[in-house]
Amino acid sequence: EVQVVESGGELVQAGGSLRLSCAVSGFTFDEHAIGWFRQAPGKEREVVSCISIVGAPLNFSDSVKGRFTISRDNAKNTAYLQMNNLKPEDTATYYCAVRRRGCSGMHSLYDYWGQGTQVTVSS
């Protein structure tokens, strides 16, 4: 059974840091790109970052540039999103998404999704 499970979201004060994890199983992890998306209430789901099959990171959002870092550990079948200097506007449900062959900013192109983990940044 395919499983994509995010964890690590919680309430944090502005300026703080969190590391989100995405643990996957049921498919070949190192043959898929991993994307992080987020969705705030009343907003469209947006891509935040993606890491390629070969481990090349790509940030899609200017708002997180220099603050968020994506990584992957193929031996653990896990991807991460390190979030530093968090701001209230980062508050959202964060989703891990899996896509074969390469990164994309289009959420409809991803094959598997986790259930999301809530990040709340207080002011």
Side-chain angles (χ1 to χ4, degrees):
E1 181 180 350
V2 173
Q3 294 284 337
V4 182
V5 181
E6 306 98 331
S7 62
E10 62 179 81
L11 174 65
V12 64
Q13 291 185 334
S17 298
L18 289 172
R19 188 178 75 161
L20 306 184
S21 297
C22 174
V24 304
S25 62
F27 54 89
T28 306
F29 181 80
D30 61 3
E31 294 181 354
H32 294 75
I34 307 296
W36 283 99
F37 290 75
R38 67 184 182 186
Q39 188 167 22
K43 302 293 184 180
E44 294 289 313
R45 186 171 298 187
E46 64 174 353
V47 62
V48 176
S49 188
C50 186
I51 187 162
S52 75
I53 294 169
V54 297
L58 178 63
N59 289 320
F60 287 87
S61 175
D62 289 337
S63 69
V64 307
K65 195 171 186 178
R67 299 189 297 120
F68 291 10
T69 303
I70 192 169
S71 62
R72 68 190 296 163
D73 186 339
N74 289 346
K76 296 182 180 295
N77 285 1
T78 303
Y80 305 94
L81 184 67
Q82 178 67 44
M83 306 186 295
N84 297 325
N85 192 25
L86 284 161
K87 303 175 180 180
E89 55 262 40
D90 296 319
T91 296
T93 301
Y94 283 72
Y95 297 92
C96 179
V98 181
R99 182 175 187 260
R100 187 158 185 161
R101 294 185 179 177
C103 289
S104 174
M106 299 177 61
H107 67 267
S108 63
L109 295 181
Y110 286 78
D111 300 299
Y112 304 106
W113 291 82
Q115 76 282 9
T117 185
Q118 180 66 40
V119 173
T120 302
V121 184
S122 65
S123 59

